[in-house]
Amino acid sequence: VAGAMIPKLFAPASLEAPHPSVETTTELIAAANPAAIAAAQRGMAARPDETSLIPSIDLPIAAIVGEHDALTPPAEAEAIAAAAPDATATMIPGAGHMAPVENPAAVADALRALLNRL
């Protein structure tokens, strides 16, 4: 599972360098109980699509996504922001799905901007 997931979680530059979190994440996945991984994957596959509810959210939204996110591409964050009445889409440079560990300063800036809107 780790071998299949790691390239989807991290940006190419993080894999090439490699970013310290790549090894840690690989170890965590490898140490996880296979039944727990399977249950989590089934849960994600079975969850209902709630995107139709986005226009009714009456709160500020920050759709934060890594520039190289293979699991939640930037276009999805942009679509969420476009559908919501008060939303912004922020693309985190040089990051994949693991943007908070690949570029924590940029993620913190995006969250700070959201908090400033409250």
Side-chain angles (χ1 to χ4, degrees), residues 29-70:
I29 293 171
N33 180 316
I37 291 173
Q41 290 176 330
R42 283 192 303 274
M44 286 186 283
R47 68 183 173 207
D49 181 354
E50 303 287 2
T51 54
S52 65
L53 300 175
I54 293 171
S56 67
I57 298 174
D58 191 26
L59 296 166
I61 295 173
I64 303 170
V65 65
E67 174 185 16
H68 303 285
D69 193 330

Side-chain angles (χ1 to χ4, degrees), residues 68-90:
H68 303 285
D69 193 330
L71 299 176
T72 308
E76 287 187 31
E78 292 167 4
I80 289 168
D86 183 12
T88 59
T90 303

Side-chain angles (χ1 to χ4, degrees), residues 3 10 20 27-28 36 39 51 56 60 66 70 77 81 88 92 98-99 103-105 109:
F10 290 93
E27 290 170 359
L28 288 170
T51 54
S56 67
T88 59
I92 305 301
M98 299 292 282
N103 193 341
D109 289 344

Side-chain angles (χ1 to χ4, degrees), residues 91-118:
M91 188 168 53
I92 305 301
H97 197 69
M98 299 292 282
V101 297
E102 291 178 284
N103 193 341
V107 172
D109 289 344
L111 292 172
R112 206 173 288 111
L114 171 67
L115 293 173
N116 287 335
R117 290 172 37 218
L118 298 175

